[in-house]
Amino acid sequence: MLNGFRQQAIVKPGGVVEICSPELPAGATVEVIVLLESPPKHSEKLLTSFIGSARGSFTTPKEVDNFIRQERDAWES
């Protein structure tokens, strides 16, 4: 009969994985299967690439100046 348990471990320098459990009797033969979690995929975009990309945002300082100038002109009319 097979008995098993699941345990997470941190890989130590040199690729060493240590498993400690009172459920493991000394001298017993065990089979160890190591499943490596893949790291979460990070966005390749830099945060600065989002500047001005949202609806209603300005992409350049010149666009901001033009918008403000248009608003001021509208107030004076």
Side-chain angles (χ1 to χ4, degrees):
M1 181 164 121
L2 290 174
N3 291 322
F5 69 95
R6 184 179 199 137
Q7 184 179 46
Q8 287 188 330
I10 304 295
V11 179
K12 296 180 180 180
V16 175
V17 177
E18 184 177 21
I19 300 173
C20 298
S21 175
E23 297 176 37
L24 299 173
T29 300
V30 298
E31 180 178 352
V32 178
I33 300 172
V34 178
L35 302 173
L36 182 63
E37 291 182 5
S38 60
K41 293 186 179 184
H42 296 288
S43 174
E44 297 296 323
K45 287 186 171 183
L46 297 174
L47 289 178
T48 55
S49 69
F50 292 103
I51 295 173
S53 63
R55 185 173 172 215
S57 296
F58 302 101
T59 56
T60 64
K62 186 175 182 178
E63 286 184 17
V64 176
D65 288 338
N66 289 338
F67 175 77
I68 293 172
R69 211 169 268 120
Q70 288 174 357
E71 290 296 309
R72 286 182 185 158
D73 290 344
W75 293 342
E76 292 175 2
S77 300

